[in-house]
């Protein structure tokens, strides 16, 4: 049975009453376009995209491609400038500055807290277990009347593990606000996407991206999957032309190259296994944590010193020892075979 929830009641009153900006392309996109004060002479270079014209505000074709790929409906899909735009919009739609609160589960992706601070929203923290899993009952106990959003990252950054589905469902069932599940790394996971549960949980928002498995971090294309009511509010608040034509073209092009994406994912997973098997043999490495992502978190003696010396060798990894439960931990992205070999060469040199 699907959860029942009144999304309208969660939305800020000023957002419910907002009359969104109507762009020139809301009404017409063909004909002699003299309505948007564009430069009719065109771009200053050869241009096959009519870059002198504004992009389509609602990105219908791209959203259809994403919907088909994730087995949802176009009305379930929002696209923006990276997942960070979607995170910021959710704050602006649901959280009253200076009054409302959100819950995060450290160690986790730092942008939730940054965006909360920008939007003047109080952050409450419920730590993950030492095994980096959710504590659903503690999360629900931390909910206050002003709590509007709970952020869950799965697979989690920086710990790389997926959250137990039963724990996420417990939070979804027990909380009458918005639950955001950030699935940036879902295509590297053994666990399926929660996007398949949108019909069961109208308060569920799934964040995804084309930066990771699609290999398109440079185009800055983020995705939110949610029930159409939530998506409509995000569309209402977003900037009129948030996704540009160049980003849209490359994103659409990716869906004609899914075989290459699948091949790349398989290569990363194969390298991930090789790197883990090699890393665990180092005496200085105390533990390699389970991973469902394209990176590894591992505990190593003198982590900060290793981090700095690796940088001196030209191999840049991430120090995560300042995060809860992550003392002496480093985060390693799975690179190409040659890049991973270079990592081990540097590690051998400094150990």
């Amino acid at each position: 049975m699907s959860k029942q929830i009144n999304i309208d009641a969660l939305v800020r009153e000023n957002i419910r009453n907002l009359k969104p900006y109507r762009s020139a392309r809301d009404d017409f996109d063909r004909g002699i376009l003299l309505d948007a004060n564009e430069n009719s002479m065109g771009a200053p270079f050869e241009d096959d995209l009519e870059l002198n014209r504004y992009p389509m505000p609602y990105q219908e074709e791209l959203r259809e491609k994403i919907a088909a790929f994730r087995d949802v409906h176009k009305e379930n899909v929002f696209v923006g400038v990276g997942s960070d735009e979607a995170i910021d919009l959710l704050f602006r739609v649901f959280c009253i500055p200076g009054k409302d609160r959100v819950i995060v589960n450290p160690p986790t992706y730092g942008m939730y807290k940054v965006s909360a601070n920008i939007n003047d929203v109080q952050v409450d923290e419920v730590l993950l277990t030492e095994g980096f899993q959710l504590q659903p009952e503690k999360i629900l106990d931390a909910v206050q009347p002003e709590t509007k959003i709970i952020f869950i990252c799965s697979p989690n950054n920086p710990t790389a593990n997926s959250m137990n589905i039963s724990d996420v469902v417990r939070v979804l069932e027990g909380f009458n606000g918005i639950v955001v599940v950030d699935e940036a790394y879902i295509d590297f996971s053994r666990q399926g996407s929660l996007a398949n549960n949108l019909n069961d949980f109208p308060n569920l928002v799934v964040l995804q991206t084309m930066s990771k498995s699609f290999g398109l971090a440079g185009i800055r294309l983020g995705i939110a999957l949610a029930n159409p009511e939530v998506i409509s509010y995000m569309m209402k608040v977003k900037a009129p032309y948030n996704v540009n034509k160049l980003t849209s073209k490359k994103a659409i092009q990716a869906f004609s190259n899914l075989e290459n994406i699948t091949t790349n994912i398989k290569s990363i997973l194969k390298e991930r296994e090789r790197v883990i098997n090699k890393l665990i043999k180092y005496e200085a490495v105390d533990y390699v944590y389970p991973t469902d992502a394209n990176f590894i978190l591992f505990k190593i003696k003198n982590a900060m010193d290793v981090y700095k010396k690796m940088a001196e060798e030209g191999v840049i990894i991430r120090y995560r020892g300042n995060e809860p439960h992550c003392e002496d931990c480093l985060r390693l992205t799975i690179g190409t075979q040659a890049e991973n070999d270079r990592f081990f060469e540097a590690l051998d040199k400094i150990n």
Side-chain angles (χ1 to χ4, degrees):
M1 182 177 177
S2 298
K3 179 183 176 80
Q4 302 297 312
I5 194 167
N6 186 345
I7 296 295
D8 273 342
L10 296 176
V11 174
R12 290 166 53 183
E13 184 178 1
N14 66 307
I15 300 299
R16 286 200 304 271
N17 298 329
L18 178 68
K19 292 184 179 179
Y21 175 80
R22 285 194 63 79
S23 73
R25 293 297 156 263
D26 277 314
D27 297 319
F28 300 101
D29 63 355
R30 291 179 177 83
I32 306 299
L33 299 176
L34 303 177
D35 57 345
N37 302 334
E38 299 154 329
N39 186 331
S40 297
M41 299 300 109
F45 45 73
E46 188 174 342
D47 172 22
D48 62 350
L49 288 179
E50 293 189 323
L51 294 177
N52 62 314
R53 302 295 183 186
Y54 288 112
M56 296 305 297
Y58 304 113
Q59 295 293 329
E60 304 283 352
E61 182 181 1
L62 176 55
R63 290 168 61 216
E64 286 174 357
K65 295 282 188 185
I66 293 168
F69 181 68
R70 294 302 185 190
D71 196 24
V72 297
H73 299 291
K74 181 186 70 177
E75 292 73 23
N76 295 120
V77 180
F78 170 87
V79 290
V81 185
S83 298
D84 295 339
E85 182 185 10
I87 292 168
D88 180 66
L89 284 175
L90 290 167
F91 275 103
R92 289 196 275 153
V93 169
F94 293 105
C95 297
I96 299 172
K99 176 187 175 184
D100 286 334
R101 315 172 77 91
V102 299
I103 293 175
V104 301
N105 302 274
T108 193
Y109 181 44
M111 198 62 199
Y112 312 139
K113 195 168 186 178
V114 171
S115 193
N117 291 337
I118 291 170
N119 287 281
D120 193 19
V121 173
Q122 179 67 41
V123 177
D124 296 313
E125 298 183 348
V126 178
L127 293 184
L128 298 177
T129 67
E130 291 188 2
F132 301 137
Q133 286 296 329
L134 296 172
Q135 302 190 74
E137 298 308 322
K138 288 188 177 181
I139 292 171
L140 295 175
D141 286 344
V143 170
Q144 301 183 39
E146 296 79 20
T147 304
K148 294 297 181 65
I149 305 175
I150 296 173
F151 286 95
I152 297 170
C153 192
S154 179
N156 189 40
N157 180 9
T159 63
N161 64 293
S162 294
M163 299 300 161
N164 293 329
I165 290 290
S166 59
D167 291 340
V168 178
V169 169
R170 176 70 186 99
V171 174
L172 281 162
E173 290 176 339
F175 179 52
N176 288 323
I178 301 297
V179 178
V180 178
V181 180
D182 190 341
E183 293 185 342
Y185 302 94
I186 193 64
D187 293 322
F188 303 106
S189 175
R190 303 166 185 84
Q191 197 163 269
S193 172
L194 275 166
N196 298 323
N197 299 88
L198 293 180
N199 290 334
D200 298 322
F201 299 104
N203 59 329
L204 170 64
V205 178
V206 174
L207 299 182
Q208 295 182 352
T209 180
M210 298 190 78
S211 295
K212 310 302 179 181
S213 60
F214 280 73
L216 291 172
I219 72 170
R220 305 304 299 128
L221 197 288
I223 300 161
L225 306 173
N227 83 68
E229 197 171 3
V230 171
I231 297 298
S232 68
Y233 277 114
M234 297 179 73
M235 291 288 201
K236 189 177 184 181
V237 175
K238 78 174 183 68
Y241 306 113
N242 61 328
V243 175
N244 69 72
K245 287 185 175 183
L246 299 173
T247 289
S248 182
K249 178 184 179 181
K250 289 301 178 183
I252 291 170
Q253 185 180 343
F255 290 99
S256 298
N257 293 271
L258 291 176
E259 185 175 335
N260 292 341
I261 292 167
T262 300
T263 298
N264 289 342
I265 292 171
K266 288 180 179 178
S267 296
I268 290 169
L269 295 180
K270 183 178 179 180
E271 275 298 292
R272 186 177 76 182
E273 192 68 21
R274 182 177 78 93
V275 170
I276 291 171
N277 289 336
K278 195 166 182 176
L279 198 56
I280 59 177
K281 296 176 182 177
Y282 280 77
E283 185 177 342
V285 174
D286 293 322
Y287 190 68
V288 178
Y289 290 90
T291 176
D292 258 346
N294 68 331
F295 62 90
I296 295 168
L297 186 76
F298 64 98
K299 187 183 289 288
I300 189 169
K301 295 177 177 64
N302 303 312
M304 177 58 83
D305 189 48
V306 172
Y307 161 72
K308 290 179 178 178
K309 287 181 177 178
M310 291 291 283
E312 291 172 2
E313 293 295 321
V315 178
I316 313 303
I317 54 180
R318 194 80 181 266
Y319 177 73
R320 299 280 72 182
N322 51 359
E323 300 284 344
H325 306 321
C326 294
E327 294 78 11
D328 280 329
C329 282
L330 299 175
R331 193 188 72 188
L332 170 67
T333 302
I334 301 301
T336 64
Q337 181 175 342
E339 289 171 334
N340 298 330
D341 287 344
R342 180 70 187 90
F343 163 79
F344 283 114
E345 288 173 10
L347 191 59
D348 288 337
K349 185 175 180 179
I350 68 175
N351 269 282

